[in-house]
């Protein structure tokens, strides 16, 4: 693809991702409450879901995706339910000093949570099915162009979410007292439960 077209796509996608949505909100809440453990797996799940939406849009399978709306509804509710489960665990999490080793996160479950949240995110679907064709000529898309766009998606999505995770991890260090950490855990749990409710209500 022309470099100008790739830059236009990257700028458009960056503008959509920078505005916090369900994926960013859930990631920040998780990192604030429990540190960076599991964050890379969650980000990977979100990126893979973005690539799924992109593939469906680029290969002209938007009608198939629309016909499978019920499947994506189930995924959306499953993602919301898992976020509620994580919120409940955060609320009940014991207060640990920052010097203590973080709890071992189940990478597989965090990956599935990121995947489900983004597959059930109407903003992601709208970008790839409605806005992508206005930025990229999908009719003339070659295999090389497809790979280039997929690489841009991985870099932009992973970079934005990784930046949010690192910023949340840095902010987390400001809270060192047990009382502050307890309220941070509960605040993160509340935000994550609110995100789950928002996803389920859409």
């Amino acid at each position: 693809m022309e470099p100008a077209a790739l830059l236009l796509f990257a700028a458009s996608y960056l503008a959509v991702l920078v505005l916090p949505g369900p994926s960013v909100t859930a990631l920040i809440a998780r990192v604030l409450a429990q540190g960076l453990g599991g964050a890379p797996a969650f980000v990977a799940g979100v990126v893979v879901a973005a690539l799924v939406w992109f593939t469906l849009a680029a290969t002209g399978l938007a009608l198939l995706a629309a016909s499978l709306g019920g499947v994506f509804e189930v995924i959306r509710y499953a993602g919301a339910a898992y976020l509620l489960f994580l919120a409940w665990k955060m609320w009940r999490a014991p207060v640990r000093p920052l010097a203590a080793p973080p709890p071992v996160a189940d990478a597989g479950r965090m990956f599935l949570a990121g995947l489900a949240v983004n597959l059930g995110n109407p903003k992601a679907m709208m970008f790839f099915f409605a806005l992508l064709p206005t930025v990229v000529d999908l009719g003339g898309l070659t295999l090389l162009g497809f790979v280039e766009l997929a690489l841009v998606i991985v870099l932009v999505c992973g970079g934005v979410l990784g930046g949010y995770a690192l910023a949340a991890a840095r902010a987390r260090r400001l809270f060192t007292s047990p009382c502050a950490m307890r309220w941070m855990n509960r605040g993160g749990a509340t935000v994550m439960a609110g995100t789950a409710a928002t996803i389920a209500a859409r």
Side-chain angles (χ1 to χ4, degrees), residues 17 39 45 110 177 189:
L17 286 177
M110 291 306 297
S177 73

Side-chain angles (χ1 to χ4, degrees), residues 19-138:
L19 297 173
S23 300
V24 170
T25 306
L27 176 63
I28 289 174
R30 165 78 186 191
V31 173
L32 282 175
Q34 309 219 341
L36 286 171
F42 184 89
V43 171
V46 173
V47 170
V48 169
L51 291 173
V52 169
W53 285 126
F54 167 64
T55 301
L56 288 173
T59 55
L61 295 178
L63 291 177
L64 175 62
S67 68
L68 294 175
V71 173
F72 291 113
E73 285 289 301
V74 171
I75 292 171
R76 178 162 63 93
Y77 287 120
Y82 187 65
L83 286 181
L84 282 175
F85 170 70
L86 289 178
W88 178 75
K89 286 187 68 175
M90 273 188 217
W91 186 275
R92 294 170 48 94
V95 175
R96 297 176 300 101
L98 288 178
V104 177
D106 186 336
R109 286 191 298 175
M110 291 306 297
F111 174 84
L112 290 177
L115 184 72
V117 167
N118 208 24
L119 283 179
N121 183 2
K123 186 174 84 168
M125 182 173 63
M126 182 175 293
F127 173 78
F128 287 108
F129 287 167
L131 297 180
L132 177 65
T134 68
V135 178
V136 176
D137 177 16
L138 294 178

Side-chain angles (χ1 to χ4, degrees), residues 14-21 24 123 160 164:
L14 179 64
V16 169
L17 286 177
V18 165
L19 297 173
V24 170
K123 186 174 84 168
V160 169
Y164 272 118

Side-chain angles (χ1 to χ4, degrees), residues 3-14:
L6 282 174
L7 283 174
L8 178 60
F9 172 74
S12 302
Y13 192 42
L14 179 64

Side-chain angles (χ1 to χ4, degrees), residues 99-191:
V104 177
D106 186 336
R109 286 191 298 175
M110 291 306 297
F111 174 84
L112 290 177
L115 184 72
V117 167
N118 208 24
L119 283 179
N121 183 2
K123 186 174 84 168
M125 182 173 63
M126 182 175 293
F127 173 78
F128 287 108
F129 287 167
L131 297 180
L132 177 65
T134 68
V135 178
V136 176
D137 177 16
L138 294 178
L141 188 63
T142 64
L143 178 58
L144 177 59
F146 179 90
V147 171
E148 290 171 339
L149 289 171
L151 183 58
V152 168
I153 289 169
V154 171
L155 292 175
V156 172
C157 188
V160 169
L161 292 177
Y164 272 118
L166 290 174
R170 184 168 294 236
R172 184 173 184 265
R173 296 186 177 277
L174 299 175
F175 302 94
T176 55
S177 73
C179 183
M181 294 191 72
R182 182 177 298 108
W183 281 107
M184 189 168 55
N185 282 353
R186 292 183 176 180
T190 302
V191 169

